[in-house]
Each structure stands twice: as structure tokens, then as C-alpha cells.
Amino acid sequence: MVAPLKVGIAGLGTVGAEVVRLIEQQSRTLSSRCGRPVRVVAVTARSKAKKRGLDLQRLDWAKNPLALASDPGIDCFVELMGGAGEPALSAIEAALKAGKSVVTANKALIAKHGLKLAKAAEQHGGALNFEAAVGAAIPVVKTLREGLAGTAINRVYGILNGTCNYILTRMEQEGLSFAECLKDAQRLGYAEANPSFDVDGHDTAQKLAILASLAFGTKVSQGAVYVEGISSIAPEDLRAAAELGYRVKLLGVAVRTSKGIEQRVHPTMVPKTSSIAQVMGVTNAVTIDGEGIPPITLVGPGAGGAATASAVVADIADVARGIGA
Ligand code: HSE
């Protein structure tokens, strides 16, 4: 029998717990799709006692993320703690240095340190997969990295934050206040731990910077993105836009211009009849304008435990199949 891929997971919040559950539930399918079994063998999290509805007793519990990343008993380190800095950064660096492959959903970290980490992965022969960092279950990273590898890209744009789109949708359709909608987005597990990242546009800017670097081969620079969020929008603004035949969406746009790559995030009035105006709730949509081909639009769930876990497990499956390393 082919040796299983041994996976270690750091972070057992909404996404981490869902990844453990999904790998268990899909174990036969993963095994046949990857040509080898995929097993979670070790984990680490801030609290061992927290109720997660999972039997985690049989797994090894590493004392911290760095110890897990350096554990010779794992082949693939999965980072689901979040945060642009420590402990995620050192743990990922240690795993890559040890020749392991890394899967992460951490957009803040990839937007800030993606290039350095990609170089380390290349140098040591592991993969660095981050599909879940942008658009959750939508395979947009794969589309840009693989599907459109031979196509010059002129523009990438879309709705990249589930929380904002959910808030704008409910404010418009139900006349609810911004605060009420945000509370629901938090309850449903869409929002960041600090929701100002969502509503002030920074989460979209991080995702856009990642997409721009994949599309245009530029160094990821979140600082180069003009950012304006949705926190000052009231139901009356949305009603006024609707009377004129428009909907308001928070868009991220990265476009090749004669002066370089322009990146911006801001609320935008889109005609109600346009396809982007039909994207409602937590759904995200990304359109890619490639040279010589009609635009490609990908639409799907952009936030939430199950949607994010779906992309994380797909990245782990690629490691099991030896893709990307
Ligand atoms: N807070 C993010 C969002 C989660 O609402 O889109 C997924 O990246």
C-alpha cells in the first residue's frame, strides 16, 4: 500500500475543526482521488479542552505550532491560526525549511510574506498552497496559477469579501442597520476576529494583492492598494442607489495600465441588471480578463467554515498527489 500523507494541523477554530471532519468524512474519496490515504496525525491549538464535536484524543497534540511544524512525523503542515506575523510565520518557515509542504488559509500572512515563503518552498522542495486565502471555496488561485498559466492577464476584479457582501445584501433587501447585519455575519462565522478588517476593506485588499501577484507576477504589496470600506454606508444610501437602478458592491479591482498595476478597493454602484449585481449574500465573484479570450467569472461561497475547509482539503489533496512541490 502507498504510504499515507501525514498531516499536522495548527489551529482548530471553525476552519481547522471542519478540515479534520472533512478529511475523516471524505477519507475513501480522498484516497482514491489522490492515489494514497490522507491522515491527520497531529494537531495543536490554544485549548485542548474546547468542545469541537470531534474525537481528537487519538491524535498527537504538539506543544506549540513550531514543534508541530518541525515534527518529523508529519509530511504536510496546515496553518489555520491566522495573523500576519507570529506564531504562524516562524512555524511555516520551519516546516518549509524541513522540506515539508505547507497549506494555509492565511491571507494576511501570504499578502505580507508570500514571496519570501514561496522562495523558501522552492528552495527546499515543498509546496506552498493557499487556495483558501482568497474566495474560500472558489478555485481562483488554481485558475490563475494553473488554468491560465499561458494567458496574459489584463484585469482581475470582483467581490472578495463575504461579510461585506452579506451586510450590503441584507441592508438593501431588509432595510436592516449595518450593526445588525454585521452581528449576524459574525454569528455565522463569516467575519474576521477583528471585523474592521472586513468592513474597512483591508481583507479585500489583502486578497486583491494576492490575486494581483498571481495574475501579473508582481511582488505582493498590500500598501499599493487604494482602500475604502463600507462602514459609513447606511440603508438610505442603498435605497437611493436602488431608485437610480443601481446596487452598491464592495469591489476589488487590479488592472494593468501603461503606468503599472493599479489596485483599488471601494464601494461601487453597479447597474442592477449587471451580472455582478446578482451576486448576493456571502457569495464572492471574481472576473479575470485574459488576453485573447472572453472574461472568465468564478462565483461561489466566499466565507464560512465549510467553504474554507473545502479549499484547504483540496490543497492538501494536491500535496498528496505531488502537485505543486
Ligand atoms: N472574513 C472573510 C470574508 C472570510 O468575510 O470574506 C473569508 O476570507
Side-chain angles (χ1 to χ4, degrees):
M1 184 167 116
V2 191
L5 180 83
K6 289 174 273 169
V7 175
I9 301 180
L12 291 171
T14 315
V15 178
E18 195 54 43
V19 168
V20 176
R21 193 170 296 122
L22 193 56
I23 289 177
E24 237 168 63
Q25 192 193 325
Q26 291 292 91
S27 111
R28 277 162 163 258
T29 309
L30 280 170
S31 192
S32 77
R33 286 183 181 163
C34 302
R36 64 194 286 207
V38 173
R39 298 231 166 88
V40 178
V41 295
V43 292
T44 187
R46 269 195 300 242
S47 159
K48 194 169 174 178
K50 185 177 159 188
K51 293 230 175 330
R52 298 179 173 92
L54 288 168
D55 173 20
L56 300 170
Q57 296 311 316
R58 65 191 166 80
L59 303 175
D60 281 344
W61 278 75
K63 69 174 187 301
N64 57 46
L66 197 58
L68 180 63
S70 325
D71 180 350
I74 66 160
D75 310 308
C76 175
F77 176 67
V78 180
E79 184 278 308
L80 299 171
M81 299 173 289
E86 300 303 345
L89 179 60
S90 295
I92 289 180
E93 282 178 327
L96 292 174
K97 231 182 229 173
K100 299 181 200 305
S101 288
V102 169
V103 172
T104 179
N106 190 334
K107 60 224 149 182
L109 188 93
I110 292 295
K112 197 164 174 194
H113 302 287
L115 191 64
K116 180 172 76 167
L117 295 175
K119 279 186 183 153
E122 207 175 342
Q123 189 186 344
H124 298 283
L128 173 67
N129 292 348
F130 48 88
E131 183 63 72
V134 185
I138 304 175
V140 62
V141 170
K142 214 178 223 315
T143 300
L144 284 167
R145 260 180 162 183
E146 298 170 29
L148 294 171
T151 303
I153 310 294
N154 293 324
R155 185 168 64 145
V156 182
Y157 68 97
I159 296 170
L160 299 173
N161 185 273
T163 299
C164 289
N165 207 49
Y166 174 85
I167 292 172
L168 290 171
T169 300
R170 292 202 66 204
M171 279 170 74
E172 185 209 328
Q173 295 191 331
E174 298 169 51
L176 298 172
S177 73
F178 180 90
E180 274 174 284
C181 299
L182 174 57
K183 213 187 257 173
D184 280 348
Q186 288 177 293
R187 184 179 50 78
L188 291 164
Y190 302 156
E192 297 302 300
N194 175 355
S196 70
F197 277 104
D198 296 294
V199 299
D200 293 338
H202 300 297
D203 178 86
T204 300
Q206 285 167 348
K207 292 167 177 165
L208 188 68
I210 294 170
L211 293 184
S213 86
L214 293 169
F216 306 115
T218 51
K219 184 174 177 302
V220 169
S221 173
Q222 203 197 325
V225 188
Y226 167 80
V227 187
E228 192 188 322
I230 63 159
S231 46
S232 59
I233 294 178
E236 306 80 75
D237 301 320
L238 303 182
R239 266 199 301 276
E243 276 164 22
L244 296 169
Y246 290 90
R247 258 187 198 128
V248 177
K249 296 288 180 192
L250 182 72
L251 296 189
V253 182
V255 58
R256 190 195 292 280
T257 73
S258 56
K259 292 190 197 121
I261 307 302
E262 186 185 299
Q263 298 176 65
R264 52 180 202 272
V265 174
H266 50 79
T268 308
M269 300 234 291
V270 296
K272 263 193 196 173
T273 48
S274 63
S275 50
I276 199 117
Q278 317 312 316
V279 178
M280 302 302 248
V282 72
T283 306
N284 282 191
V286 189
T287 297
I288 304 164
D289 281 346
E291 195 77 43
I293 54 168
I296 293 170
T297 299
L298 303 168
V299 182
T308 310
S310 156
V312 171
V313 176
D315 272 352
I316 296 171
D318 274 354
V319 173
R321 286 192 290 238
I323 298 172

